[in-house]
Amino acid sequence: MPKRPKLIQPLSALQNALQSLFVSYASRLPPGYWSDSTPVANARREIARIHDSAAVAANPRTINDTLIAFRKSSTVAGRRELKYICLGLTTIIHGRWMIAENPELVAVILRQVEAESDRVRRIRLFQALLSAYWKFPKYAPDLSIAALEGWNTLRQWLKRQRDRFESDQKAHPDWFHGLLRHRELLTTSPCRTIGTALLKYDDAPLIDAVDTLAIPKDSWLHEEAILGTIEAACKERREEFRAQIPRLLALSSGKQAVPQITIRCVATIVSRYARDSDHSENQLLRDAAVTEVGNPWLKKTNWDTHVLDSNKQPDSAARQMVSGWLKRRLISDFFELLSLDGTGDQRRLNYWLRLEPQIEDMWFALGPKTWYRRDTIFAEFKTRASGRLLDLVDTTANNNAFIMRINGFYAVEFGEIGNACFVFSPKELPQELNTILRGNLSAQQVSRDLLTKTKDDWGRLLHIDKKVQRWEEKFDTELAALVGTKTAQPPNTAPAAPNRPSTQKIKDPATVNHVHLFADEWHAQVTDNRLKGGALWVQPRRADKDLPEHARRWLKQQGFRLDRYGRWYKSNR
């Protein structure tokens, strides 16, 4: 039998010593110690945290210094510096710049990472760049387009590298499997699936992504998750979508909401609402749209920038819908909230609500007593009417004025009952009033006398019923030519006129036919009110234009007369 090597003897002695030591130590442990898996599990988690986590730790000051040096030299000093640059690729330095803004520097880094021969190290560098991807300040104020383009370049590169690692059939760390579970995170719609789940009150996918991939709390992904939820809701049927609107608006305007994402969320909801045939007013959505996007007829550029349809074009239907909601609310505010006795004038309210589609703009001149109000309802009105408020002076403290522009003409109503409605043509609007309405309205004053300075009785319309005609019908006759369309029938709230059939016949039908025949050529509007006791009206489609000379000559020959507003009329008498 051969002799045992000398090395075996010391090993045997060591084995015996360790066994004796283990038995002695084990005898002092409490019963059940070896069956408790908690210490082992804790140890495994600690190992995973250090060696298998998506988080990459580094000193921020060291990263900043390395980024500054790389920006100056365009070269990477070593492997450690490459890791720091990857981690800080989207970090804003000194509040002014980031490496991601420079496509040449980004290309240098990505090429060096791809050239790394050691697979484990290449994955760690990929991990560092993924960390920079989550930390990108996507919604920072004044973020440059170059930075956003650099971030998109990084996203596309990460997607290609993820697919490359996945296809090499080798073992991957646990965090990488999380990236495979949430593939959309590296696309232009990163939260489609997460948003669909959140809409159903399921936050498991978001929590899994955040925990597995070490996504920081201030990452852009959390805002995108909100947007993903709203986009998922917009795909629901009308009833389900509208039932979710209060929750969606609250979600988009929470305490930590970013202004850009709030505007985008509200714009998405408004555009979806406008796609339905039913445009009935939603007060919450109206106020949110006006607050976040702005007054739709004053902030048209802002609306056309943010509120887009499915083709990414300005959504004019959504803008017009909210504009109608706002105008109707403001009209109601004036005749109900700002009336003298607080009860409102329902007939005047109903009349102007019918003309809302033709009202292009509106202003509110408030008397001293109104400005002193501190109630919540009035505060909400001031918010809605922001940019269109004036001080009404030289009048009673209780009075207020409502100024409307309709097809270029201006109509003025007062809050005190008994005041006439005053109408101005564009040509005869007092220059001082024109300057006030077109200027910066803050601290602007307008006197009552200026709002009633018409040159003849035509521009002064009285809210007085006659035996055979309500004042609404009189207004219709006078204003129909201004708005260019036939208004709806007035509500049945006024004293009824005698219900007698019309026995009038229209004279000279050939003249009427000629007027309609030549209207397009003359760029004219024709309104025939003679069956209601009014006149046949012909006027330019644009208030600042005149009819052609030959048209004016022909109309005069046919017995038409010209009023001071540039309109031609002929009665049935």
Side-chain angles (χ1 to χ4, degrees), residues 477 480-481 484-485 516 525-530 535-539:
T477 301
T485 60
H516 283 284
Q525 300 178 82
V526 180
T527 306
D528 193 349
N529 293 323
R530 291 179 295 174
L536 174 64
W537 293 87
V538 183
Q539 73 170 100

Side-chain angles (χ1 to χ4, degrees), residues 14 34 50 73 87 117 159 162 192 218 233 276 290 372-373 394 404 415 454 516 539 562:
L14 177 61
W34 298 110
I50 297 173
S73 65
L87 284 170
S117 58
K159 181 179 180 296
R162 179 201 63 194
R192 183 185 291 117
D218 59 350
D276 292 330
V290 173
Y372 289 139
R373 292 179 58 168
D394 300 328
M404 296 163 273
T454 57
H516 283 284
Q539 73 170 100
L562 180 67

Side-chain angles (χ1 to χ4, degrees), residues 412 414 419-420 422 424 447-455:
V412 182
F414 289 93
N419 283 266
F422 296 88
F424 301 85
S447 70
R448 184 188 183 283
D449 291 341
L450 192 61
L451 296 177
T452 60
K453 193 181 293 184
T454 57
K455 293 186 177 180

Side-chain angles (χ1 to χ4, degrees), residues 214-516:
I215 300 173
K217 293 181 178 180
D218 59 350
S219 172
W220 53 265
L221 185 75
H222 300 286
E223 280 72 38
E224 290 290 335
I226 295 173
L227 183 61
T229 305
I230 289 171
E231 290 176 343
C234 289
K235 295 176 182 177
E236 298 287 313
R237 293 186 303 174
R238 183 176 70 185
E239 292 75 14
E240 288 79 2
F241 160 69
R242 295 194 174 188
Q244 293 280 358
I245 286 178
R247 175 193 172 201
L248 300 178
L249 293 176
L251 188 66
S252 65
S253 59
K255 292 182 178 179
Q256 304 301 322
V258 176
Q260 298 97 313
I261 205 71
T262 300
I263 293 177
R264 189 174 167 190
C265 290
V266 172
T268 301
I269 298 170
V270 167
S271 183
R272 167 64 182 84
Y273 199 102
R275 290 202 297 270
D276 292 330
S277 58
D278 176 15
H279 286 178
S280 56
E281 182 178 10
N282 184 294
Q283 295 184 15
L284 284 176
L285 184 55
R286 177 201 67 208
D287 291 343
V290 173
T291 300
E292 301 301 337
V293 188
N295 184 313
W297 74 83
L298 298 182
K299 303 289 186 180
K300 183 177 181 297
T301 301
N302 204 43
W303 271 79
D304 289 348
T305 299
H306 294 289
V307 185
L308 307 177
D309 59 21
S310 55
N311 297 319
K312 303 301 180 184
Q313 297 299 313
D315 196 333
S316 58
R319 177 169 49 78
Q320 292 168 6
M321 177 187 73
V322 177
S323 179
W325 290 352
L326 179 59
K327 286 189 289 185
R328 292 177 68 83
R329 179 66 263 171
L330 289 172
I331 293 171
S332 299
D333 284 342
F334 181 80
F335 289 108
E336 294 176 347
L337 177 66
L338 304 181
S339 61
L340 176 60
D341 59 3
T343 61
D345 186 336
Q346 197 65 38
R347 287 180 63 185
R348 286 200 293 168
L349 168 61
N350 290 337
Y351 183 82
W352 292 110
L353 285 178
R354 290 191 291 116
L355 287 183
E356 171 268 312
Q358 282 77 44
I359 298 176
E360 302 163 331
D361 205 345
M362 54 181 65
W363 297 261
F364 299 89
L366 308 181
K369 190 171 182 179
T370 302
W371 280 116
Y372 289 139
R373 292 179 58 168
R374 295 293 181 266
D375 55 278
T376 303
I377 297 177
F378 179 64
E380 293 173 351
F381 161 74
K382 287 198 298 183
T383 299
R384 284 190 290 269
S386 177
R388 283 298 181 263
L389 295 176
L390 297 158
D391 287 335
L392 183 63
V393 297
D394 300 328
T395 186
T396 60
N398 290 315
N399 205 7
N400 301 293
F402 175 30
I403 309 166
M404 296 163 273
R405 188 176 74 226
I406 307 173
N407 197 23
F409 285 71
Y410 293 82
V412 182
E413 285 272 22
F414 289 93
E416 290 182 339
I417 296 175
N419 283 266
C421 172
F422 296 88
V423 181
F424 301 85
S425 74
K427 296 177 181 178
E428 296 190 358
L429 184 72
Q431 183 58 44
E432 183 182 351
L433 180 57
N434 183 58
T435 301
I436 291 173
L437 298 182
R438 294 180 178 276
N440 179 7
L441 299 188
S442 59
Q444 284 277 19
Q445 293 183 343
V446 60
S447 70
R448 184 188 183 283
D449 291 341
L450 192 61
L451 296 177
T452 60
K453 193 181 293 184
T454 57
K455 293 186 177 180
D456 58 36
D457 288 340
W458 187 93
R460 186 171 178 269
L461 303 178
L462 302 178
H463 308 87
I464 298 177
D465 296 316
K466 296 183 178 180
K467 291 183 179 180
V468 296
Q469 188 182 46
R470 296 176 292 185
W471 68 257
E472 290 94 336
E473 294 172 334
K474 172 67 173 176
F475 274 44
D476 279 347
T477 301
E478 300 294 343
L479 295 177
L482 302 185
V483 301
T485 60
K486 184 178 180 181
T487 59
Q489 290 299 315
N492 189 22
T493 57
N499 186 15
R500 58 182 69 154
S502 174
T503 59
Q504 284 193 331
K505 295 182 180 179
I506 299 300
K507 298 178 181 179
D508 55 11
T511 299
V512 178
N513 293 338
H514 277 88
V515 168
H516 283 284

Side-chain angles (χ1 to χ4, degrees), residues 176-207:
F176 189 85
H177 291 288
L179 195 60
L180 298 180
R181 287 195 299 274
H182 302 284
R183 290 179 175 275
E184 289 180 347
L185 296 179
L186 296 180
T187 68
T188 55
S189 300
C191 291
R192 183 185 291 117
T193 300
I194 287 174
T196 301
L198 288 173
L199 183 64
K200 300 175 182 178
Y201 298 93
D202 178 12
D203 60 358
L206 177 61
I207 292 175

